[in-house]
Amino acid sequence: MRSGAGRGRVLVARLDDAGDVLLAGPAVRAVRTLAAEVVFLAGPNGRAAAELLPGVDHVIEWHAPWIDHTPPPVSRNDVAGLVGRLRGVDEAVVLTSFHQSALPLALLLRLAGVRRITAISNDYPGSLLDVRHVVDENVDVPEAERMLAVAAAAGFLLPPDDDGKLAVRRPLPDILGLLGNTSGADKRTYVVVHPGTSAPARTWPAGLHRQAVRELAEDGHQVVVTGTERDLTAHVAADVAVDLGGMTTLAELAAVIEHAGVLVAGNTGPAHLAAAVGTPVVSLFAPVVPAVRWAPYGVPTVVLGDQQAPCRGSRARTCPVPGHPCLSQVTGEQVVKAVRELTQ
């Protein structure tokens, strides 16, 4: 990464999940062009992803009470500890989703002595922001581009030879030992199925995942099942797929996905990890958030799921519609067809 010392020690903040952090990658690289050092402030669910981003020199982890889905109580000591860790930062670029506020963190950054802060804010920021980037939140923009625009508002631009896509640090770990006898680990001949998500509303039913794995195998594909929930991955893999449930770090998962022909996954971090390593995605996408914003960015993608379902735009974490129709009506046959489309 090219860098300059002109803007000093710059903090980039994205405090939610791994996928959101990966989508911040292009913005981080833009900041790196002028910063002497880039510090990334991540939540506990995003730290591993932040450590994979090119251009990040140091990661600070903090559990923000106004961001996380299981927020911790506000603690004077915890807040004071963060303020102390932020001292010495010259400038900050605070990245948020459309439903999040940058102002609580901006206040803490001010208390830490940060001289220049940039963020999106629909609320009046007073003296908390130096650069208030205003966007029309009714217009759906890919999240990676939205964050890159915040960096640009702060004066950080990608160099001409950077394509603005997602990326991870190289080299990735050697995963041949994990895959055992799975052939073609260097030829993209297997399909990865990742059945887990962080929210039930975004999850394709386990039984349908299991059926799709069997149909993919019958169609001639080797299948590798990944995830952190071992009971779920074992059920989905059954006796026809390689089960890597609970066996990979995020960097190892990136390597497994990189060597795959296609990833089959919901709207979850590994879908963005696939985008970062250039692997096509069959996206089982519940429309509780817009696919335009959060579908895999910059790679060939087939989006499955009823994007006009009644749950559309609800941001629900648990499906509000009986039967979860937006995803439960997707069939294994459709997944097989989408995989064929992306591999031929």
Side-chain angles (χ1 to χ4, degrees):
M1 295 292 301
R2 291 174 294 183
S3 64
R7 301 286 281 268
R9 192 176 190 224
V10 183
L11 180 133
V12 178
R14 181 80 199 213
L15 286 162
D16 35 14
D17 293 330
D20 306 293
V21 171
L22 291 166
L23 286 163
V28 167
R29 299 198 306 273
V31 170
R32 195 69 179 93
T33 60
L34 296 177
E37 180 183 3
V38 174
V39 178
F40 199 102
L41 180 62
N45 295 327
R47 176 173 189 141
E51 291 172 341
L52 280 178
L53 292 182
V56 170
D57 296 296
H58 179 62
V59 177
I60 297 175
E61 178 184 324
W62 194 64
H63 200 172
W66 63 90
I67 295 288
D68 201 90
H69 300 299
T70 55
V74 177
S75 160
R76 182 190 299 269
N77 289 340
D78 194 36
V79 168
L82 177 66
V83 170
R85 295 171 74 188
L86 295 176
R87 296 194 188 282
V89 169
D90 298 296
E91 182 172 350
V93 178
V94 180
L95 303 175
T96 52
S97 290
F98 71 96
H99 58 277
Q100 299 169 346
S101 173
L103 299 186
L105 180 58
L107 175 61
L108 301 186
L109 290 164
R110 283 291 190 234
L111 294 177
V114 178
R115 297 191 300 270
R116 189 172 190 263
I117 305 172
T118 299
I120 292 172
S121 182
N122 290 325
D123 296 322
Y124 171 61
S127 59
L128 295 181
L129 298 180
D130 299 285
V131 180
R132 179 191 184 188
H133 184 54
V134 178
V135 299
D136 183 352
E137 298 291 18
N138 294 315
V139 178
D140 289 328
V141 175
E143 193 73 356
E145 295 178 14
R146 184 177 188 273
M147 290 189 278
L148 194 56
V150 180
F156 299 104
L157 302 176
L158 285 173
D161 59 349
D162 191 315
D163 61 11
K165 293 184 179 181
L166 308 192
V168 292
R169 289 181 183 272
R170 305 291 178 161
L172 290 172
D174 184 345
I175 43 82
L176 291 179
L178 284 172
L179 293 174
N181 294 325
T182 303
S183 67
D186 59 347
K187 298 179 182 178
R188 291 182 178 265
T189 59
Y190 60 88
V191 174
V192 172
V193 174
H194 189 94
T197 67
S198 62
R202 302 181 185 185
T203 304
W204 197 39
L208 293 176
H209 270 104
R210 180 183 171 106
Q211 180 62 30
V213 166
R214 188 166 296 280
E215 292 183 25
L216 284 165
E218 291 171 353
D219 199 50
H221 299 280
Q222 290 188 305
V223 183
V224 176
V225 179
T226 60
T228 59
E229 301 156 291
R230 293 186 179 185
D231 290 345
L232 175 60
T233 61
H235 173 75
V236 170
D239 58 349
V240 298
V242 176
D243 179 11
L244 295 185
M247 296 175 61
T248 61
T249 65
L250 193 66
E252 288 169 336
L253 179 60
V256 169
I257 294 172
E258 179 178 39
H259 291 297
V262 177
L263 170 73
V264 178
N267 178 20
T268 187
H272 304 299
L273 203 56
V277 297
T279 297
V281 181
V282 175
S283 178
L284 299 157
F285 200 99
V288 290
V289 294
V292 171
R293 291 180 184 260
W294 277 286
Y297 182 72
V299 292
T301 301
V302 175
V303 174
L304 300 178
D306 181 3
Q307 300 306 299
Q308 303 302 318
C311 64
R312 180 184 181 192
S314 66
R315 288 174 39 212
R317 293 185 60 77
T318 300
C319 184
V321 183
H324 198 19
C326 69
L327 287 182
S328 63
Q329 294 178 10
V330 176
T331 66
E333 182 181 0
Q334 288 175 291
V335 170
V336 171
K337 181 180 177 182
V339 168
R340 285 179 186 165
E341 180 180 333
L342 291 170
T343 55
Q344 292 177 354

